[in-house]
Amino acid sequence: SFSEQSAAVGVMKRLRAAVERGLQEKHLQASPHLALLSTTFYHEELRPILAEWMLLWIRRRHPIAVPDTVLKAYLCGSKVDGSLIPALGDHQLKALNLSRTWLAVLMPHIASRIHRVHYGLLAEGSPMWAQEPRARRFFAVPFVGKDAPSDSSQFSHPDVVIGLTWLSFRLGGLRHGDFERALVSLLRLERSEVDVPPRLRVAHRLYNAWVSEARGYVRGEVKGDLNQELPADNDILALQSSGRSERSSANRLRL
Protein backbone atom coordinates (compact mmCIF):
# COMPACT_ATOMS: atom_id res chain seq x y z
CA SER A 1 0.00 0.00 0.00
CA PHE A 2 0.97 3.67 -0.30
CA SER A 3 1.35 4.01 3.48
CA GLU A 4 3.73 1.02 3.56
CA GLN A 5 5.78 2.49 0.73
CA SER A 6 5.96 5.86 2.49
CA ALA A 7 7.01 4.18 5.74
CA ALA A 8 9.69 2.17 3.94
CA VAL A 9 11.09 5.30 2.26
CA GLY A 10 11.19 7.07 5.62
CA VAL A 11 13.04 4.19 7.26
CA MET A 12 15.60 4.08 4.44
CA LYS A 13 16.22 7.83 4.71
CA ARG A 14 16.84 7.56 8.45
CA LEU A 15 19.10 4.57 7.93
CA ARG A 16 21.11 6.37 5.26
CA ALA A 17 21.52 9.39 7.54
CA ALA A 18 22.63 7.17 10.44
CA VAL A 19 25.18 5.39 8.23
CA GLU A 20 26.60 8.69 6.98
CA ARG A 21 26.87 9.90 10.58
CA GLY A 22 28.56 6.65 11.57
CA LEU A 23 31.13 7.05 8.82
CA GLN A 24 31.89 10.62 9.83
CA GLU A 25 32.31 9.65 13.49
CA LYS A 26 34.42 6.55 12.66
CA HIS A 27 31.86 4.07 13.99
CA LEU A 28 31.70 2.53 10.51
CA GLN A 29 34.28 2.06 7.79
CA ALA A 30 33.67 2.34 4.07
CA SER A 31 36.70 0.47 2.73
CA PRO A 32 36.95 -2.18 1.37
CA HIS A 33 33.19 -2.16 2.01
CA LEU A 34 30.78 -0.90 4.65
CA ALA A 35 31.67 -2.57 7.97
CA LEU A 36 30.77 -2.03 11.60
CA LEU A 37 33.46 -0.83 14.01
CA SER A 38 31.40 0.07 17.10
CA THR A 39 28.75 -2.24 18.54
CA THR A 40 27.64 0.59 20.84
CA PHE A 41 26.82 2.74 17.81
CA TYR A 42 24.98 -0.19 16.25
CA HIS A 43 22.73 -0.84 19.26
CA GLU A 44 22.05 2.84 19.96
CA GLU A 45 21.66 4.18 16.42
CA LEU A 46 21.22 1.43 13.84
CA ARG A 47 19.30 -1.27 15.66
CA PRO A 48 16.15 0.83 16.31
CA ILE A 49 15.99 1.79 12.64
CA LEU A 50 16.59 -1.78 11.49
CA ALA A 51 13.86 -2.89 13.90
CA GLU A 52 11.41 -0.62 12.08
CA TRP A 53 12.47 -2.13 8.76
CA MET A 54 12.08 -5.62 10.21
CA LEU A 55 8.56 -4.75 11.40
CA LEU A 56 7.57 -3.64 7.92
CA TRP A 57 8.73 -6.99 6.57
CA ILE A 58 7.05 -9.01 9.33
CA ARG A 59 3.71 -7.21 9.06
CA ARG A 60 3.70 -7.60 5.29
CA ARG A 61 4.06 -11.37 5.64
CA HIS A 62 2.30 -12.07 8.93
CA PRO A 63 -0.22 -9.49 10.27
CA ILE A 64 0.18 -9.12 14.05
CA ALA A 65 -2.47 -7.70 16.41
CA VAL A 66 0.11 -5.96 18.63
CA PRO A 67 1.07 -2.24 18.46
CA ASP A 68 4.28 -1.35 16.63
CA THR A 69 5.66 0.43 19.71
CA VAL A 70 5.49 -2.80 21.71
CA LEU A 71 7.01 -4.92 18.92
CA LYS A 72 9.81 -2.41 18.31
CA ALA A 73 10.64 -2.34 22.02
CA TYR A 74 10.83 -6.14 22.01
CA LEU A 75 13.07 -6.21 18.92
CA CYS A 76 15.33 -3.61 20.53
CA GLY A 77 15.82 -5.74 23.63
CA SER A 78 13.37 -4.15 26.07
CA LYS A 79 11.04 -6.14 28.29
CA VAL A 80 7.39 -6.12 27.24
CA ASP A 81 4.13 -7.00 28.90
CA GLY A 82 3.82 -10.79 28.93
CA SER A 83 0.05 -10.55 28.59
CA LEU A 84 0.52 -9.65 24.92
CA ILE A 85 2.12 -13.01 24.10
CA PRO A 86 -1.23 -14.90 23.89
CA ALA A 87 -2.22 -12.50 21.10
CA LEU A 88 0.59 -13.92 18.98
CA GLY A 89 0.38 -17.14 17.04
CA ASP A 90 3.13 -19.73 17.11
CA HIS A 91 4.46 -18.71 13.69
CA GLN A 92 4.36 -15.01 14.60
CA LEU A 93 6.21 -15.60 17.86
CA LYS A 94 8.91 -17.60 16.09
CA ALA A 95 9.32 -14.86 13.47
CA LEU A 96 9.69 -12.21 16.19
CA ASN A 97 12.20 -14.26 18.17
CA LEU A 98 14.27 -14.96 15.07
CA SER A 99 14.16 -11.26 14.13
CA ARG A 100 15.26 -10.27 17.64
CA THR A 101 18.17 -12.73 17.50
CA TRP A 102 19.27 -11.33 14.15
CA LEU A 103 19.11 -7.73 15.35
CA ALA A 104 20.72 -8.39 18.74
CA VAL A 105 23.51 -10.84 17.88
CA LEU A 106 23.84 -11.95 14.27
CA MET A 107 23.66 -8.62 12.45
CA PRO A 108 26.39 -6.81 14.43
CA HIS A 109 28.62 -9.88 14.21
CA ILE A 110 28.23 -10.32 10.46
CA ALA A 111 28.43 -6.58 9.75
CA SER A 112 31.80 -6.38 11.52
CA ARG A 113 33.44 -9.05 9.31
CA ILE A 114 35.56 -8.14 6.26
CA HIS A 115 34.96 -9.96 2.99
CA ARG A 116 37.95 -11.98 1.73
CA VAL A 117 39.68 -11.46 5.09
CA HIS A 118 37.33 -13.11 7.59
CA TYR A 119 35.06 -15.02 5.20
CA GLY A 120 34.37 -15.63 1.54
CA LEU A 121 33.60 -18.19 -1.17
CA LEU A 122 36.15 -20.71 -2.40
CA ALA A 123 37.55 -20.18 -5.89
CA GLU A 124 36.35 -22.74 -8.41
CA GLY A 125 39.84 -22.95 -9.86
CA SER A 126 41.51 -23.98 -6.61
CA PRO A 127 43.51 -27.26 -6.77
CA MET A 128 41.35 -28.92 -4.08
CA TRP A 129 37.99 -27.82 -5.50
CA ALA A 130 36.93 -31.31 -6.61
CA GLN A 131 37.71 -32.77 -3.17
CA GLU A 132 35.88 -30.09 -1.20
CA PRO A 133 32.57 -31.08 0.46
CA ARG A 134 29.44 -29.50 -1.01
CA ALA A 135 28.97 -27.24 2.03
CA ARG A 136 32.37 -25.63 1.52
CA ARG A 137 31.88 -25.30 -2.24
CA PHE A 138 28.50 -23.55 -2.08
CA PHE A 139 28.63 -21.61 1.22
CA ALA A 140 30.95 -19.01 2.71
CA VAL A 141 33.90 -20.42 4.67
CA PRO A 142 36.20 -18.87 7.28
CA PHE A 143 39.36 -17.12 6.08
CA VAL A 144 42.61 -17.03 8.05
CA GLY A 145 43.95 -13.98 6.20
CA LYS A 146 43.60 -11.89 3.05
CA ASP A 147 42.41 -14.21 0.26
CA ALA A 148 43.43 -17.20 2.40
CA PRO A 149 40.50 -19.53 3.10
CA SER A 150 40.78 -22.07 5.88
CA ASP A 151 41.79 -25.53 4.66
CA SER A 152 38.88 -27.41 6.22
CA SER A 153 36.88 -25.22 8.63
CA GLN A 154 33.22 -24.27 8.24
CA PHE A 155 30.96 -21.88 10.11
CA SER A 156 28.86 -23.81 12.62
CA HIS A 157 25.88 -21.47 13.10
CA PRO A 158 23.40 -21.89 10.21
CA ASP A 159 22.21 -18.26 10.30
CA VAL A 160 25.81 -17.01 10.23
CA VAL A 161 26.41 -19.25 7.20
CA ILE A 162 23.36 -17.79 5.45
CA GLY A 163 24.28 -14.19 6.23
CA LEU A 164 27.94 -14.44 5.25
CA THR A 165 27.12 -16.42 2.09
CA TRP A 166 24.65 -13.72 1.02
CA LEU A 167 27.26 -11.03 1.68
CA SER A 168 29.88 -13.01 -0.25
CA PHE A 169 27.69 -13.03 -3.34
CA ARG A 170 26.65 -9.41 -2.78
CA LEU A 171 30.24 -8.18 -2.49
CA GLY A 172 32.05 -10.64 -4.74
CA GLY A 173 29.44 -11.50 -7.35
CA LEU A 174 28.55 -14.86 -8.85
CA ARG A 175 31.22 -17.34 -9.83
CA HIS A 176 30.97 -18.90 -13.29
CA GLY A 177 29.54 -22.12 -11.88
CA ASP A 178 26.98 -20.21 -9.81
CA PHE A 179 25.76 -18.41 -12.91
CA GLU A 180 25.56 -21.66 -14.85
CA ARG A 181 23.53 -23.31 -12.08
CA ALA A 182 21.16 -20.34 -12.09
CA LEU A 183 20.55 -20.78 -15.82
CA VAL A 184 20.02 -24.51 -15.38
CA SER A 185 17.41 -23.75 -12.71
CA LEU A 186 15.66 -21.43 -15.15
CA LEU A 187 15.61 -24.17 -17.78
CA ARG A 188 13.99 -26.55 -15.31
CA LEU A 189 11.44 -23.90 -14.38
CA GLU A 190 10.65 -23.26 -18.02
CA ARG A 191 10.00 -26.94 -18.73
CA SER A 192 7.56 -27.07 -15.80
CA GLU A 193 5.27 -24.54 -17.56
CA VAL A 194 4.45 -26.58 -20.65
CA ASP A 195 0.92 -25.16 -20.92
CA VAL A 196 2.09 -21.54 -20.98
CA PRO A 197 3.36 -19.80 -24.15
CA PRO A 198 7.19 -19.55 -23.95
CA ARG A 199 7.32 -15.76 -23.80
CA LEU A 200 4.79 -15.65 -20.96
CA ARG A 201 6.54 -18.19 -18.74
CA VAL A 202 7.93 -17.12 -15.39
CA ALA A 203 11.39 -18.34 -16.35
CA HIS A 204 11.44 -16.20 -19.48
CA ARG A 205 10.28 -13.07 -17.67
CA LEU A 206 12.72 -13.71 -14.82
CA TYR A 207 15.57 -14.06 -17.32
CA ASN A 208 14.56 -10.77 -18.94
CA ALA A 209 14.49 -9.12 -15.52
CA TRP A 210 18.02 -10.35 -14.79
CA VAL A 211 19.28 -8.95 -18.09
CA SER A 212 17.50 -5.64 -17.48
CA GLU A 213 18.99 -5.31 -13.98
CA ALA A 214 22.43 -5.82 -15.54
CA ARG A 215 21.74 -2.86 -17.87
CA GLY A 216 21.36 -5.17 -20.84
CA TYR A 217 18.50 -6.10 -23.15
CA VAL A 218 17.07 -9.18 -24.83
CA ARG A 219 16.81 -9.12 -28.61
CA GLY A 220 13.20 -9.24 -29.76
CA GLU A 221 11.73 -8.47 -26.37
CA VAL A 222 8.17 -7.20 -26.64
CA LYS A 223 6.81 -4.85 -24.01
CA GLY A 224 3.13 -4.88 -23.28
CA ASP A 225 0.42 -6.92 -21.68
CA LEU A 226 2.02 -10.19 -20.56
CA ASN A 227 -1.44 -11.66 -20.02
CA GLN A 228 -1.80 -11.96 -23.78
CA GLU A 229 0.14 -14.29 -25.99
CA LEU A 230 2.93 -12.47 -27.81
CA PRO A 231 4.00 -13.19 -31.41
CA ALA A 232 6.86 -15.60 -31.95
CA ASP A 233 10.26 -14.10 -32.69
CA ASN A 234 13.11 -16.24 -33.95
CA ASP A 235 15.70 -13.67 -32.89
CA ILE A 236 14.88 -13.71 -29.19
CA LEU A 237 17.34 -15.43 -26.87
CA ALA A 238 14.77 -17.77 -25.40
CA LEU A 239 15.48 -20.21 -22.58
CA GLN A 240 15.02 -23.36 -24.63
CA SER A 241 17.02 -26.56 -24.32
CA SER A 242 16.28 -27.75 -27.90
CA GLY A 243 16.62 -31.36 -26.77
CA ARG A 244 20.18 -30.92 -25.47
CA SER A 245 21.40 -31.49 -21.95
CA GLU A 246 20.93 -28.78 -19.34
CA ARG A 247 24.67 -28.16 -19.14
CA SER A 248 25.14 -27.69 -22.88
CA SER A 249 22.02 -25.53 -23.04
CA ALA A 250 23.29 -23.31 -20.28
CA ASN A 251 26.63 -22.91 -22.03
CA ARG A 252 24.90 -21.81 -25.23
CA LEU A 253 22.92 -19.02 -23.60
CA ARG A 254 24.43 -15.57 -24.03
CA LEU A 255 23.52 -12.21 -22.57
Coordinates of all heavy atoms in Angstrom, one line a residue, residues 138-205:
F138 N 29.7 -24.4 -1.8 CA 28.5 -23.6 -2.1 C 28.2 -22.5 -1.0 O 27.4 -21.6 -1.2 CB 27.3 -24.4 -2.3 CG 27.4 -25.4 -3.5 CD1 27.0 -26.7 -3.4 CD2 28.0 -24.9 -4.6 CE1 27.1 -27.6 -4.4 CE2 28.1 -25.8 -5.7 CZ 27.6 -27.1 -5.6
F139 N 28.9 -22.6 0.2 CA 28.6 -21.6 1.2 C 29.9 -20.9 1.6 O 31.0 -21.4 1.3 CB 28.0 -22.3 2.5 CG 26.7 -22.9 2.2 CD1 26.5 -24.3 2.2 CD2 25.6 -22.1 2.0 CE1 25.3 -24.9 2.0 CE2 24.3 -22.7 1.8 CZ 24.2 -24.1 1.8
A140 N 29.8 -19.8 2.2 CA 30.9 -19.0 2.7 C 31.7 -19.8 3.8 O 31.1 -20.6 4.6 CB 30.5 -17.7 3.3
V141 N 33.0 -19.7 3.7 CA 33.9 -20.4 4.7 C 34.8 -19.4 5.4 O 35.0 -18.3 4.9 CB 34.8 -21.5 3.9 CG1 33.9 -22.5 3.2 CG2 35.7 -20.8 3.0
P142 N 35.3 -19.8 6.6 CA 36.2 -18.9 7.3 C 37.5 -18.6 6.5 O 38.0 -19.5 5.9 CB 36.5 -19.6 8.6 CG 35.4 -20.6 8.7 CD 35.1 -21.0 7.3
F143 N 38.1 -17.4 6.6 CA 39.4 -17.1 6.1 C 40.3 -16.9 7.2 O 39.9 -16.4 8.3 CB 39.3 -15.9 5.2 CG 38.9 -16.1 3.8 CD1 37.8 -17.0 3.5 CD2 39.5 -15.5 2.7 CE1 37.4 -17.3 2.2 CE2 39.1 -15.8 1.4 CZ 38.1 -16.6 1.1
V144 N 41.6 -17.2 7.0 CA 42.6 -17.0 8.0 C 43.5 -15.8 7.7 O 44.4 -15.5 8.5 CB 43.5 -18.3 8.2 CG1 42.7 -19.5 8.6 CG2 44.2 -18.6 6.8
G145 N 43.2 -15.2 6.6 CA 44.0 -14.0 6.2 C 43.4 -13.5 4.9 O 42.4 -14.0 4.3
K146 N 44.1 -12.4 4.3 CA 43.6 -11.9 3.1 C 43.7 -12.9 1.9 O 44.7 -13.4 1.6 CB 44.5 -10.7 2.7 CG 44.1 -10.0 1.4 CD 42.7 -9.3 1.5 CE 42.4 -8.4 0.3 NZ 42.0 -9.2 -0.8
D147 N 42.5 -13.2 1.3 CA 42.4 -14.2 0.3 C 43.0 -15.6 0.6 O 43.5 -16.3 -0.2 CB 43.1 -13.7 -1.0 CG 42.4 -12.5 -1.6 OD1 41.1 -12.5 -1.6 OD2 43.1 -11.6 -2.1
A148 N 42.9 -15.9 1.9 CA 43.4 -17.2 2.4 C 42.3 -18.0 3.1 O 42.2 -17.9 4.4 CB 44.6 -17.0 3.3
P149 N 41.5 -18.8 2.4 CA 40.5 -19.5 3.1 C 41.1 -20.6 4.0 O 42.2 -21.2 3.7 CB 39.7 -20.1 1.9 CG 40.6 -20.1 0.8 CD 41.5 -19.0 1.0
S150 N 40.4 -21.0 5.0 CA 40.8 -22.1 5.9 C 40.8 -23.4 5.1 O 40.0 -23.6 4.2 CB 39.8 -22.2 7.1 OG 40.0 -23.4 7.8
D151 N 41.7 -24.3 5.4 CA 41.8 -25.5 4.7 C 40.6 -26.5 4.8 O 40.2 -27.2 3.9 CB 43.1 -26.3 5.1 CG 44.3 -25.6 4.6 OD1 44.2 -24.8 3.6 OD2 45.4 -25.7 5.3
S152 N 40.0 -26.5 6.0 CA 38.9 -27.4 6.2 C 37.7 -26.9 7.1 O 36.7 -27.5 7.2 CB 39.4 -28.7 6.9 OG 40.1 -28.4 8.1
S153 N 37.9 -25.7 7.7 CA 36.9 -25.2 8.6 C 35.6 -24.8 7.9 O 35.6 -24.4 6.7 CB 37.4 -24.1 9.4 OG 38.6 -24.5 10.2
Q154 N 34.5 -24.8 8.7 CA 33.2 -24.3 8.2 C 32.6 -23.5 9.4 O 32.9 -23.8 10.6 CB 32.3 -25.4 7.8 CG 32.8 -26.3 6.6 CD 31.9 -27.4 6.3 OE1 30.7 -27.2 6.2 NE2 32.4 -28.5 6.0
F155 N 31.7 -22.6 9.1 CA 31.0 -21.9 10.1 C 29.9 -22.8 10.7 O 29.2 -23.6 9.9 CB 30.3 -20.6 9.5 CG 31.3 -19.6 9.2 CD1 31.5 -19.3 7.8 CD2 31.9 -18.8 10.1 CE1 32.4 -18.3 7.5 CE2 32.8 -17.8 9.8 CZ 33.1 -17.6 8.4
S156 N 29.8 -22.9 12.0 CA 28.9 -23.8 12.6 C 27.4 -23.3 12.8 O 26.5 -24.1 12.7 CB 29.4 -24.2 14.0 OG 29.5 -23.0 14.8
H157 N 27.2 -22.0 12.9 CA 25.9 -21.5 13.1 C 25.2 -21.3 11.7 O 25.7 -20.6 10.9 CB 25.9 -20.1 13.8 CG 24.7 -19.7 14.4 ND1 23.5 -19.4 13.6 CD2 24.3 -19.5 15.7 CE1 22.5 -19.0 14.4 NE2 22.9 -19.1 15.7
P158 N 24.0 -21.9 11.5 CA 23.4 -21.9 10.2 C 23.0 -20.5 9.8 O 23.1 -20.2 8.6 CB 22.2 -22.8 10.4 CG 21.9 -22.8 11.9 CD 23.3 -22.8 12.5
D159 N 22.6 -19.6 10.7 CA 22.2 -18.3 10.3 C 23.4 -17.4 9.9 O 23.4 -16.6 9.1 CB 21.4 -17.6 11.4 CG 20.0 -18.1 11.5 OD1 19.4 -18.4 10.5 OD2 19.5 -18.3 12.7
V160 N 24.6 -17.7 10.6 CA 25.8 -17.0 10.2 C 26.2 -17.4 8.8 O 26.7 -16.6 8.0 CB 26.9 -17.3 11.3 CG1 28.3 -16.8 10.8 CG2 26.6 -16.7 12.6
V161 N 26.1 -18.7 8.5 CA 26.4 -19.3 7.2 C 25.6 -18.5 6.1 O 26.1 -18.1 5.1 CB 26.2 -20.8 7.1 CG1 26.4 -21.3 5.7 CG2 27.2 -21.5 8.1
I162 N 24.3 -18.4 6.4 CA 23.4 -17.8 5.5 C 23.7 -16.3 5.2 O 23.9 -15.8 4.1 CB 21.9 -17.9 5.9 CG1 21.4 -19.4 5.9 CG2 21.0 -17.0 5.1 CD1 20.1 -19.6 6.6
G163 N 24.0 -15.6 6.3 CA 24.3 -14.2 6.2 C 25.6 -13.9 5.5 O 25.7 -13.1 4.6
L164 N 26.6 -14.7 5.9 CA 27.9 -14.4 5.3 C 28.0 -14.9 3.8 O 28.7 -14.3 3.0 CB 29.0 -15.1 6.1 CG 29.3 -14.6 7.5 CD1 30.4 -15.4 8.2 CD2 29.7 -13.1 7.4
T165 N 27.2 -16.0 3.5 CA 27.1 -16.4 2.1 C 26.4 -15.4 1.2 O 26.9 -15.0 0.1 CB 26.4 -17.8 2.0 OG1 27.1 -18.7 2.8 CG2 26.3 -18.2 0.6
W166 N 25.3 -14.8 1.8 CA 24.6 -13.7 1.0 C 25.6 -12.6 0.8 O 25.7 -12.0 -0.3 CB 23.4 -13.3 1.8 CG 22.6 -12.2 1.1 CD1 21.6 -12.5 0.2 CD2 22.8 -10.8 1.1 NE1 21.1 -11.3 -0.3 CE2 21.8 -10.2 0.2 CE3 23.7 -10.0 1.8 CZ2 21.7 -8.9 0.1 CZ3 23.5 -8.6 1.6 CH2 22.6 -8.1 0.8
L167 N 26.3 -12.1 1.8 CA 27.3 -11.0 1.7 C 28.4 -11.4 0.7 O 28.8 -10.5 0.0 CB 27.9 -10.7 3.0 CG 27.0 -9.8 4.0 CD1 27.7 -9.6 5.3 CD2 26.7 -8.4 3.3
S168 N 28.8 -12.6 0.7 CA 29.9 -13.0 -0.3 C 29.4 -12.8 -1.7 O 30.2 -12.3 -2.5 CB 30.3 -14.5 0.0 OG 30.8 -14.6 1.3
F169 N 28.2 -13.2 -2.0 CA 27.7 -13.0 -3.3 C 27.4 -11.5 -3.6 O 27.6 -11.1 -4.7 CB 26.4 -13.8 -3.5 CG 26.6 -15.3 -3.7 CD1 26.1 -16.2 -2.8 CD2 27.4 -15.8 -4.8 CE1 26.3 -17.6 -3.0 CE2 27.6 -17.1 -4.9 CZ 27.0 -18.0 -4.0
R170 N 26.9 -10.8 -2.6 CA 26.7 -9.4 -2.8 C 27.9 -8.6 -3.1 O 27.9 -7.7 -3.9 CB 25.9 -8.9 -1.5 CG 25.6 -7.4 -1.6 CD 24.6 -7.0 -2.6 NE 24.3 -5.6 -2.7 CZ 25.0 -4.7 -3.3 NH1 26.1 -5.1 -4.0 NH2 24.6 -3.5 -3.3
L171 N 29.0 -8.9 -2.4 CA 30.2 -8.2 -2.5 C 31.2 -8.7 -3.6 O 31.9 -8.0 -4.2 CB 31.0 -8.2 -1.1 CG 30.2 -7.5 0.0 CD1 31.0 -7.7 1.3 CD2 30.1 -6.0 -0.2
G172 N 31.1 -10.0 -3.8 CA 32.0 -10.6 -4.7 C 31.4 -11.1 -6.1 O 32.1 -11.4 -7.0
G173 N 30.1 -11.1 -6.1 CA 29.4 -11.5 -7.3 C 29.4 -13.0 -7.5 O 29.9 -13.8 -6.7
L174 N 28.7 -13.4 -8.6 CA 28.5 -14.9 -8.8 C 29.8 -15.4 -9.5 O 30.4 -14.8 -10.3 CB 27.4 -15.1 -9.8 CG 26.0 -14.8 -9.3 CD1 25.0 -15.0 -10.4 CD2 25.6 -15.7 -8.1
R175 N 30.2 -16.6 -9.1 CA 31.2 -17.3 -9.8 C 30.6 -17.9 -11.1 O 29.4 -18.0 -11.3 CB 31.8 -18.5 -8.9 CG 32.4 -18.0 -7.7 CD 32.7 -19.1 -6.7 NE 31.4 -19.7 -6.2 CZ 31.3 -20.6 -5.3 NH1 32.5 -21.0 -4.6 NH2 30.2 -21.1 -4.9
H176 N 31.5 -18.4 -12.0 CA 31.0 -18.9 -13.3 C 30.0 -20.1 -13.1 O 29.0 -20.2 -13.7 CB 32.1 -19.3 -14.2 CG 31.7 -19.8 -15.5 ND1 31.3 -21.1 -15.8 CD2 31.6 -19.2 -16.7 CE1 31.0 -21.3 -17.0 NE2 31.1 -20.1 -17.6
G177 N 30.4 -21.0 -12.2 CA 29.5 -22.1 -11.9 C 28.2 -21.7 -11.2 O 27.2 -22.4 -11.5
D178 N 28.2 -20.7 -10.4 CA 27.0 -20.2 -9.8 C 26.0 -19.7 -10.9 O 24.8 -20.0 -10.8 CB 27.3 -19.1 -8.8 CG 28.2 -19.5 -7.7 OD1 28.0 -20.7 -7.2 OD2 29.0 -18.7 -7.3
F179 N 26.6 -19.0 -11.8 CA 25.8 -18.4 -12.9 C 25.2 -19.5 -13.8 O 24.0 -19.5 -14.2 CB 26.6 -17.4 -13.8 CG 25.8 -16.8 -14.8 CD1 24.8 -15.9 -14.6 CD2 26.1 -17.0 -16.2 CE1 24.1 -15.3 -15.6 CE2 25.4 -16.4 -17.2 CZ 24.4 -15.5 -16.9
E180 N 26.0 -20.5 -14.0 CA 25.6 -21.7 -14.9 C 24.4 -22.4 -14.1 O 23.5 -22.8 -14.8 CB 26.7 -22.6 -15.1 CG 26.4 -23.8 -16.0 CD 27.6 -24.6 -16.4 OE1 28.4 -24.2 -17.2 OE2 27.7 -25.7 -15.8
R181 N 24.6 -22.6 -12.8 CA 23.5 -23.3 -12.1 C 22.2 -22.5 -12.1 O 21.1 -23.1 -12.1 CB 24.0 -23.6 -10.7 CG 25.0 -24.8 -10.6 CD 25.3 -25.1 -9.1 NE 26.2 -24.1 -8.5 CZ 27.5 -24.1 -8.6 NH1 28.1 -25.1 -9.3 NH2 28.2 -23.1 -8.1
A182 N 22.4 -21.2 -12.1 CA 21.2 -20.3 -12.1 C 20.4 -20.5 -13.4 O 19.2 -20.6 -13.5 CB 21.5 -18.9 -11.9
L183 N 21.2 -20.6 -14.5 CA 20.5 -20.8 -15.8 C 19.9 -22.2 -15.9 O 18.8 -22.3 -16.5 CB 21.6 -20.6 -16.9 CG 22.1 -19.2 -17.1 CD1 23.1 -19.1 -18.3 CD2 21.0 -18.2 -17.3
V184 N 20.6 -23.2 -15.4 CA 20.0 -24.5 -15.4 C 18.7 -24.5 -14.6 O 17.7 -25.2 -15.0 CB 21.0 -25.5 -14.8 CG1 20.4 -26.9 -14.5 CG2 22.2 -25.7 -15.7
S185 N 18.6 -23.8 -13.5 CA 17.4 -23.7 -12.7 C 16.3 -23.1 -13.5 O 15.1 -23.5 -13.5 CB 17.7 -23.0 -11.4 OG 18.6 -23.6 -10.6
L186 N 16.7 -22.1 -14.3 CA 15.7 -21.4 -15.2 C 15.1 -22.4 -16.2 O 14.0 -22.4 -16.6 CB 16.2 -20.2 -15.8 CG 16.3 -18.9 -15.0 CD1 16.9 -17.8 -15.8 CD2 15.0 -18.5 -14.4
L187 N 16.0 -23.2 -16.8 CA 15.6 -24.2 -17.8 C 14.6 -25.2 -17.2 O 13.6 -25.5 -17.8 CB 16.8 -24.9 -18.3 CG 17.8 -24.1 -19.2 CD1 19.0 -24.8 -19.5 CD2 17.1 -23.7 -20.5
R188 N 14.9 -25.6 -16.0 CA 14.0 -26.5 -15.3 C 12.6 -25.9 -15.1 O 11.6 -26.5 -15.2 CB 14.6 -27.0 -14.0 CG 15.8 -27.9 -14.2 CD 16.5 -28.2 -12.8 NE 17.6 -29.1 -13.0 CZ 18.5 -29.3 -12.0 NH1 18.4 -28.7 -10.9 NH2 19.5 -30.2 -12.2
L189 N 12.7 -24.6 -14.6 CA 11.4 -23.9 -14.4 C 10.7 -23.7 -15.7 O 9.4 -23.9 -15.7 CB 11.8 -22.5 -13.8 CG 10.6 -21.6 -13.5 CD1 9.6 -22.3 -12.5 CD2 11.1 -20.3 -12.9
E190 N 11.3 -23.5 -16.8 CA 10.6 -23.3 -18.0 C 9.9 -24.5 -18.5 O 8.8 -24.5 -18.9 CB 11.6 -22.8 -19.1 CG 10.9 -22.4 -20.4 CD 11.8 -22.6 -21.6 OE1 12.8 -23.4 -21.6 OE2 11.6 -21.9 -22.6
R191 N 10.6 -25.7 -18.3 CA 10.0 -26.9 -18.7 C 8.8 -27.4 -17.8 O 8.0 -28.2 -18.3 CB 11.1 -28.0 -18.7 CG 12.0 -27.9 -19.9 CD 12.7 -29.2 -20.2 NE 13.6 -29.6 -19.1 CZ 14.9 -29.3 -19.0 NH1 15.5 -28.5 -20.0 NH2 15.7 -29.7 -18.0
S192 N 8.7 -26.8 -16.7 CA 7.6 -27.1 -15.8 C 6.3 -26.3 -16.2 O 5.2 -26.6 -15.7 CB 7.9 -26.7 -14.3 OG 8.0 -25.3 -14.1
E193 N 6.4 -25.3 -17.1 CA 5.3 -24.5 -17.6 C 4.9 -24.9 -19.0 O 4.9 -24.0 -19.9 CB 5.6 -23.1 -17.4 CG 5.9 -22.6 -16.0 CD 6.2 -21.1 -15.9 OE1 7.3 -20.7 -16.4 OE2 5.4 -20.4 -15.4
V194 N 4.7 -26.1 -19.3 CA 4.5 -26.6 -20.6 C 3.2 -26.0 -21.2 O 3.0 -26.0 -22.5 CB 4.4 -28.1 -20.7 CG1 5.8 -28.7 -20.4 CG2 3.4 -28.7 -19.7
D195 N 2.2 -25.7 -20.4 CA 0.9 -25.2 -20.9 C 0.9 -23.7 -21.1 O -0.1 -23.1 -21.5 CB -0.2 -25.6 -20.0 CG -0.4 -27.1 -19.8 OD1 -0.1 -27.8 -20.8 OD2 -0.8 -27.5 -18.8
V196 N 2.0 -23.0 -20.9 CA 2.1 -21.5 -21.0 C 3.0 -21.2 -22.2 O 4.0 -21.8 -22.4 CB 2.7 -20.9 -19.7 CG1 2.8 -19.4 -19.8 CG2 1.9 -21.3 -18.5
P197 N 2.5 -20.2 -23.0 CA 3.4 -19.8 -24.2 C 4.8 -19.4 -23.7 O 4.9 -18.8 -22.6 CB 2.6 -18.6 -24.7 CG 1.2 -18.8 -24.3 CD 1.2 -19.5 -23.0
P198 N 5.8 -19.8 -24.4 CA 7.2 -19.6 -23.9 C 7.5 -18.1 -23.5 O 8.1 -18.0 -22.4 CB 8.0 -19.9 -25.2 CG 7.2 -20.9 -25.9 CD 5.8 -20.4 -25.7
R199 N 7.0 -17.1 -24.2 CA 7.3 -15.8 -23.8 C 6.5 -15.2 -22.6 O 6.7 -14.1 -22.2 CB 7.2 -14.8 -25.0 CG 8.1 -15.3 -26.1 CD 8.0 -14.4 -27.3 NE 8.5 -13.0 -27.1 CZ 8.7 -12.1 -28.0 NH1 8.5 -12.4 -29.3 NH2 9.2 -10.9 -27.7
L200 N 5.6 -16.0 -22.1 CA 4.8 -15.7 -21.0 C 5.2 -16.4 -19.7 O 4.7 -16.2 -18.6 CB 3.3 -15.9 -21.2 CG 2.7 -15.1 -22.4 CD1 1.2 -15.4 -22.5 CD2 3.0 -13.6 -22.3
R201 N 6.1 -17.3 -19.9 CA 6.5 -18.2 -18.7 C 7.3 -17.4 -17.7 O 8.0 -16.4 -18.1 CB 7.4 -19.4 -19.2 CG 6.5 -20.3 -20.1 CD 7.4 -21.4 -20.7 NE 6.6 -22.2 -21.6 CZ 7.0 -23.3 -22.3 NH1 8.3 -23.6 -22.2 NH2 6.2 -23.9 -23.1
V202 N 7.2 -17.8 -16.5 CA 7.9 -17.1 -15.4 C 9.4 -17.1 -15.6 O 10.1 -16.1 -15.4 CB 7.6 -17.8 -14.0 CG1 8.4 -17.2 -12.9 CG2 6.1 -17.7 -13.7
A203 N 10.0 -18.2 -16.1 CA 11.4 -18.3 -16.4 C 11.9 -17.3 -17.4 O 12.9 -16.7 -17.2 CB 11.8 -19.7 -16.8
H204 N 11.1 -17.2 -18.4 CA 11.4 -16.2 -19.5 C 11.4 -14.8 -19.0 O 12.3 -14.0 -19.2 CB 10.5 -16.3 -20.7 CG 10.8 -15.4 -21.8 ND1 11.7 -15.7 -22.8 CD2 10.3 -14.2 -22.1 CE1 11.8 -14.7 -23.6 NE2 10.9 -13.7 -23.2
R205 N 10.4 -14.4 -18.2 CA 10.3 -13.1 -17.7 C 11.3 -12.8 -16.6 O 11.9 -11.7 -16.5 CB 8.9 -12.8 -17.1 CG 7.8 -12.7 -18.2 CD 6.5 -12.4 -17.6 NE 5.9 -13.7 -17.1 CZ 4.7 -13.7 -16.5 NH1 4.0 -12.6 -16.3 NH2 4.2 -14.8 -16.1

